[in-house]
Amino acid sequence: EGENSVLFRSSHEHDDYSYGYSVRKVWGDGNEKHSSDSVTVNVYFSCYVKFKYYDRDGDKREKKETLTDVPYTSIELTSKRNWQGAFDELGNRNAEDYVKKYLKKYLKNKGCDLKELKEVKKLSYHLEEVSVEGYTSTVSKTGDGFTITNTPTSPTPPEPDPNPEPNPPAQGTQI
């Protein structure tokens, strides 16, 4: 994965509960400089599926496939929310429901029809921040969540001195 994204595998694959993950934003040049900004973090999932379907001719087929980077949810992070957000991991039952809806739409676009979803496993997630101009983002897994750090791509110009020294008197002969 790139620096602006992270992939992690669900450790709760075999139960029906959802687990929450926090997402925290850190600006390398100071959070206070971004009080009116917002960023979007997209969450995708991937999984192995086994399903039966009817092809375009109405023949019953069975397929094993790995679905990758299926859009799951988006999180908006802002200073008003203290640059924090969260998303719930899909529990096993919810993952099956979500994948079933996705497969139905996916197969319908190919002129096919889902008959039965037989298996969903190896669920993993991928977080990626929508690029912020002038910044490089790094996503890291931290405890029960993630931290996204944005670092300016060019050095921040120094703040002007509010109390500059007066210019020294001119030297030489004045006419």
Side-chain angles (χ1 to χ4, degrees):
E1 297 302 311
E3 284 192 357
N4 70 331
S5 66
V6 67
L7 175 71
F8 70 101
R9 182 161 316 284
S10 169
S11 58
H12 311 289
E13 184 173 309
H14 300 291
D15 59 36
D16 290 334
Y17 302 101
S18 292
Y19 295 86
Y21 290 97
S22 63
V23 180
R24 187 173 73 100
K25 175 78 180 161
V26 176
W27 292 94
D29 56 353
N31 286 1
E32 66 281 353
K33 293 184 178 186
H34 300 277
S35 61
S36 62
D37 293 342
S38 68
V39 296
T40 301
V41 178
N42 293 319
V43 182
Y44 305 90
F45 74 89
S46 299
C47 61
Y48 167 84
V49 293
K50 184 176 176 182
F51 59 96
K52 291 182 179 181
Y53 69 102
Y54 294 107
D55 66 14
R56 291 178 186 195
D57 299 324
D59 296 328
K60 192 182 336 178
R61 305 273 184 199
E62 186 166 308
K63 188 170 186 176
K64 299 173 187 175
E65 186 172 340
T66 300
L67 303 176
T68 57
D69 291 339
V70 176
Y72 174 50
T73 192
S74 293
I75 306 163
E76 184 181 25
L77 304 177
T78 66
S79 65
K80 290 178 183 175
R81 294 186 188 132
N82 204 24
W83 294 108
Q84 296 182 36
F87 72 96
D88 287 331
E89 173 182 4
L90 289 166
N92 197 42
R93 184 175 302 142
N94 290 339
E96 287 178 12
D97 291 344
Y98 197 88
V99 169
K100 191 180 288 187
K101 287 177 191 172
Y102 174 80
L103 277 174
K104 282 182 179 181
K105 185 176 179 180
Y106 170 77
L107 290 169
K108 184 177 182 180
N109 288 339
K110 295 181 174 251
C112 302
D113 188 33
L114 181 67
K115 179 184 185 315
E116 176 186 5
L117 178 61
K118 296 186 68 122
E119 186 176 17
V120 176
K121 65 181 185 178
K122 298 181 182 175
L123 195 60
S124 61
Y125 297 88
H126 169 196
L127 272 68
E128 185 172 280
E129 178 184 51
V130 174
S131 296
V132 177
E133 188 175 336
Y135 289 85
T136 300
S137 66
T138 304
V139 182
S140 56
K141 178 105 170 69
T142 53
D144 67 345
F146 301 89
T147 299
I148 300 170
T149 304
N150 276 21
T151 307
T153 53
S154 60
T156 306
E159 296 285 330
D161 187 352
N163 301 311
E165 292 289 323
N167 288 337
Q171 300 204 3
T173 308
Q174 291 189 356
I175 303 179

